[in-house]
Amino acid sequence: MAYDTTAAPPRAGQRDNPSLVAVVGTELARHKRGFIAWYHLLAPVIITVPLFLGALGSSEAKAGQTFEVFRNVTLEFWGVLVPMTAGLAAALSVRADQDAWRLLLSYGVPRGRYFVGKVAALGILGFVSSTVLVVMLSLGGLLSGAFPGGMGTVVAAVYLPWLVGLSMTALAVLVAVVWGMGPSIGVGVAGLLCGALVSDKDFWYAVPFAWPMRVVLPLAGIGPNGVPLPKDSPVTDPGAIPVAVALAAVLTAVLLVVGRLHMSRKEI
């Protein structure tokens, strides 16, 4: 058997210095058949199907407002589900990597990329989940005869919580890496509670867990309980949206830096 002796062996610099894209791709490949991927795909379906059936039987349906009820209640659930999903996904993902990291951290790969790659991969899965929700809301609009006129700001009300929720993903991953699975799930529970209890308060900006829900309220015109808000309610002020996005961007950047530093010093 003849061998090609002219082929150059892979350089160590390439082997021990994978791009962030390669790290993120590896993270996604590891999750594509597991619970985390299925959760992100099915969670929007699981919450929308019963909510649509419930909207069909509501008193508002008799007045031709089936889709409005379905949309409002779904967006209410979504605002609190985003941080809850961040905590759960981060906890399970980091726990699954404990054994692998014992090996990977012994290589010369810049350790910070493992942290950033995991946050980015979970963020991509969150984007996919948001897209599934948009599809389900669109189907609800079609079935109730409200598509596309009734969609309004639905797309923004779905994707903005995901964008702001990236800060919760970074926080949950950091907590999971430092303190473990339980506290990371606690981040998600805190997001669920704060979204329901704090997002419509004057001090919402001081509670990061409430930010994903806060951007939903003015777009959907509802309170945290899913009830339509009066037009003169201060909660309907869209000025809160850029504030929440800016705060989330700053917090995400800070958490990524802290996470990279922690991974760089993490003991094997």
Side-chain angles (χ1 to χ4, degrees):
M1 181 181 293
Y3 294 92
D4 183 5
T5 58
T6 62
R11 292 182 296 176
Q14 292 177 335
R15 181 193 62 198
D16 295 336
N17 191 29
S19 67
L20 183 58
V21 173
V23 175
V24 174
T26 302
E27 285 282 343
L28 291 173
R30 294 183 67 249
H31 289 311
K32 67 180 180 180
R33 291 188 179 88
F35 170 80
I36 294 176
W38 283 111
Y39 174 87
H40 281 84
L41 289 173
L42 295 180
V45 179
I46 292 172
I47 68 171
T48 51
V49 171
L51 290 179
F52 182 76
L53 295 176
L56 290 175
S58 66
S59 57
E60 289 85 352
K62 300 177 182 178
Q65 296 181 335
T66 300
F67 180 71
E68 286 75 7
V69 174
F70 169 58
R71 177 193 61 200
N72 290 350
V73 179
T74 299
L75 292 177
E76 173 206 358
F77 269 82
W78 190 243
V80 297
L81 186 63
V82 166
M84 185 66 216
T85 297
L88 177 62
L92 295 176
S93 181
V94 171
R95 183 180 181 182
D97 276 351
Q98 291 302 315
D99 292 336
W101 276 352
R102 290 189 180 96
L103 174 64
L104 293 174
L105 294 181
S106 65
Y107 287 95
V109 177
R111 294 180 172 189
R113 292 183 191 174
Y114 294 135
F115 181 86
V116 177
K118 185 169 292 294
V119 173
L122 294 179
I124 291 172
L125 289 176
F127 181 84
V128 172
S129 189
S130 299
T131 303
V132 174
L133 183 65
V134 170
V135 172
M136 296 303 296
L137 285 168
S138 299
L139 289 175
L142 284 171
L143 293 174
S144 57
F147 185 87
M151 297 298 288
T153 57
V154 163
V155 173
V158 171
Y159 284 113
L160 275 174
W162 162 78
L163 182 64
V164 173
L166 291 176
S167 60
M168 291 298 95
T169 298
L171 176 61
V173 172
L174 179 61
V175 170
V177 170
V178 177
W179 290 295
M181 183 175 181
S184 180
I185 294 178
V187 171
V189 174
L192 187 152
L193 294 176
C194 290
L197 301 175
V198 180
S199 58
D200 61 341
K201 302 299 188 290
D202 293 338
F203 57 89
W204 65 269
Y205 55 85
V207 186
F209 304 104
W211 296 347
M213 185 63 167
R214 186 63 183 88
V215 299
V216 172
L217 304 184
L219 290 170
I222 58 173
N225 56 0
V227 176
L229 294 168
K231 293 184 179 179
D232 60 346
S233 172
V235 181
T236 61
D237 182 12
I241 296 174
V243 174
V245 172
L247 289 172
V250 172
L251 179 59
T252 303
V254 170
L255 291 171
L256 289 177
V257 171
V258 173
R260 287 174 63 96
L261 290 175
H262 175 76
M263 289 296 292
S264 298
R265 299 174 181 177
K266 186 177 178 65
E267 295 183 1
I268 301 175

